[in-house]
Amino acid sequence: MTKVWFITGSARGLGHSITQAALAAGYQVAATARNPEQLQEFTEKFPDQILPLPLDVTSKEQIQQAVAQTIARFGRIDVLVNNAGFGITGAAEAFTDEQVRSQLETNLYGPIEITRAVLPHMRQQRSGRIVQISSIGGRIGTPGLSIYQAAKFGLGGFAESLSREVLPLGIHVTCVEPGGFRTDWASASMSYAPVVEGYEGTVGFVTKFLKGGNFVPMGDPDKAAKAIVNLSEHAEPPVHLVLGSEASAMLQQASEMRKAEFEKWLPVSQSTDADDAIDFLQTEAGKAYAKLKGVE
């Protein structure tokens, strides 16, 4: 049986590469974009495999319609890739209300809503793969990207919790966390908050760095797409998958810094227990709870 993929943001960037790789591998693909006419190259090359669909990931109505149309055409959804999103740079206090809402609706609420729409079908199948395209910015904070990274940190937490909910149903969840890849994320897709004074050495530096063309990504989106296609067939996929040497190095450094900070402040952490507290994690109920959380 040929697997059915549902991919958001298929028209450009990493989503374009994933769609191309999935179709080339012989899968059937519901490819979505705000403007499905941008998917013409795929419809011409893979007319029998592709279902181009209009989808604004902030529209619950369009989400429900797109999922229903995919089920009507292919009968199932085996792999969901929540890829659609965009970046924004600026000081946290400087973003407009609309910019904040747009980031959270597109990069966090949209993937959650699409996942919730697809899950009933995967639950009935007792199988499925869900790939949330996050960012290394969902693991490491960067000045100027606070709202974008708030959404990506949230997406990572959603993915990790969800993975433990649905694994007994035969559904695997992976949060893919790329570093810099050669897409238009930092150029044409990037937007900016109004400039406010006082942040010249932090947010201002990042803004100039991006606008000045100094950011030269190491990552190849086609190689990332191939890794994601291979991931969909792996028997034991990871819950978190970092992509890119740059991102891997950044995460290793950040993990060491967090560990050092945690250990430095551990006496304060432990000092807040109640005087008559017992170690809940050593009780039978606590051990069962820890197993559910994956920290046994």
Side-chain angles (χ1 to χ4, degrees):
M1 180 183 64
T2 302
K3 287 186 177 179
V4 177
W5 288 52
F6 186 104
I7 304 172
T8 69
S10 292
R12 59 195 301 182
L14 182 57
H16 182 278
S17 293
I18 296 170
T19 302
Q20 171 68 37
L23 288 167
Y27 298 116
Q28 295 173 314
V29 177
T32 75
R34 284 176 176 266
N35 180 6
E37 292 180 1
Q38 295 176 322
L39 303 173
Q40 184 175 354
E41 64 175 290
F42 295 136
T43 59
E44 290 177 353
K45 189 174 181 180
F46 303 98
D48 298 327
Q49 292 173 238
I50 190 169
L51 174 64
L53 294 170
L55 179 60
D56 176 347
V57 300
T58 68
S59 168
K60 184 172 183 177
E61 180 180 0
Q62 284 195 20
I63 290 169
Q64 296 292 341
Q65 288 176 347
V67 171
Q69 287 176 283
T70 302
I71 297 298
R73 167 72 179 275
F74 297 124
R76 58 191 294 117
I77 296 174
D78 298 291
V79 182
L80 165 63
V81 181
N82 278 314
N83 164 79
F86 68 99
I88 193 166
T89 301
E93 66 172 280
F95 293 111
T96 66
D97 291 346
E98 169 57 28
Q99 286 176 322
V100 173
R101 280 195 300 269
S102 179
Q103 273 293 294
L104 296 178
E105 288 174 355
T106 301
N107 291 342
L108 180 59
Y109 301 159
I112 290 175
E113 192 61 45
I114 294 167
T115 300
R116 282 163 38 82
V118 169
L119 272 173
H121 302 284
M122 290 186 172
R123 173 170 50 83
Q124 291 171 6
Q125 295 166 189
R126 289 298 195 268
S127 67
R129 301 295 177 103
I130 298 173
V131 179
Q132 311 285 18
I133 304 297
S134 179
S135 164
I136 192 61
R139 302 282 288 278
I140 302 169
T142 305
L145 298 177
S146 58
I147 303 303
Y148 170 78
Q149 292 182 334
K152 294 301 187 180
F153 266 78
L155 187 60
F158 173 66
E160 188 167 307
S161 179
L162 179 67
S163 71
R164 295 185 177 124
E165 284 185 20
V166 301
L167 186 58
L169 299 171
I171 303 168
H172 293 275
V173 181
T174 297
C175 190
V176 174
E177 296 156 342
F181 275 76
R182 296 179 182 181
T183 67
D184 60 4
W185 179 86
S187 53
S189 290
M190 181 61 69
S191 57
Y192 295 87
V195 176
V196 296
E197 66 85 22
Y199 297 100
E200 292 79 11
T202 53
V203 176
F205 175 85
V206 173
T207 299
K208 289 181 180 178
F209 182 76
L210 294 176
K211 286 186 173 182
N214 298 301
F215 181 55
V216 182
M218 294 176 65
D220 181 333
D222 291 339
K223 289 184 177 181
K226 182 178 179 181
I228 290 168
V229 168
N230 290 340
L231 180 75
S232 73
E233 298 290 352
H234 199 285
E236 297 181 354
V239 177
H240 295 273
L241 177 63
V242 175
L243 294 181
S245 298
E246 157 238 359
S248 302
M250 289 171 60
L251 183 58
Q252 285 181 323
Q253 184 179 32
S255 297
E256 291 169 3
M257 293 173 62
R258 284 177 179 149
K259 184 175 185 293
E261 181 183 68
F262 169 74
E263 291 175 347
K264 178 180 178 179
W265 290 93
L266 184 57
V268 175
S269 302
Q270 295 174 332
S271 73
T272 58
D273 292 343
D275 292 340
D276 62 349
I278 62 170
D279 188 347
F280 169 69
L281 293 178
Q282 296 305 312
T283 66
E284 290 305 313
K287 290 177 182 178
Y289 182 68
K291 185 174 182 180
L292 268 180
K293 290 174 66 68
V295 295
E296 57 178 338

